[in-house]
Amino acid sequence: MTKDQLEEALHINPGTVAGNLDRSLRECMGEMNRDRIVFGLSGGIDSAVVAWVARRVLDGDKILALIMPDREGERKHTRDAIDLARQLGI
């Protein structure tokens, strides 16, 4: 799906949404006086978005992603989580 198709289908601007997510994470971390993040990375879409936003906001050495496969998930999801962490440099 192209960016234009996504905007049309969801009636959103992906760039605006990404900027809002970045800003929200920065604000939350600032309020908690934190400069690092730890989260579970399962290989699913939700944790992949968290990883992507975290990497947009922070350097890779400030992010700890714990590979946490779903008990009922496929092995592929664990491989996806590891591949994503490597691609993002976290």
Side-chain angles (χ1 to χ4, degrees):
M1 181 175 274
T2 68
K3 179 182 170 195
D4 291 337
Q5 289 171 325
L6 180 63
E7 287 179 17
E8 185 176 325
L10 299 177
H11 306 289
I12 64 169
N13 180 309
T16 300
V17 172
N20 289 341
L21 290 170
D22 294 353
R23 186 173 41 262
S24 293
L25 181 57
R26 282 189 188 97
E27 288 174 4
C28 184
M29 292 182 70
E31 289 170 6
M32 295 187 303
N33 197 29
R34 299 288 186 252
D35 68 348
R36 300 173 187 274
I37 189 170
V38 177
F39 63 94
L41 185 58
S42 67
I45 189 68
D46 296 338
S47 63
V49 170
V50 172
W52 176 75
V53 172
R55 188 59 181 95
R56 285 173 50 96
V57 171
L58 299 167
D59 291 334
D61 64 339
K62 302 275 186 176
I63 302 168
L64 177 59
L66 304 173
I67 305 300
M68 300 179 72
D70 183 336
R71 194 180 323 188
E72 298 166 7
E74 299 176 23
R75 293 179 86 84
K76 178 186 181 310
H77 293 272
T78 301
R79 288 190 305 271
D80 289 345
I82 293 167
D83 289 345
L84 179 62
R86 286 183 177 142
Q87 289 172 8
L88 294 175
I90 58 176

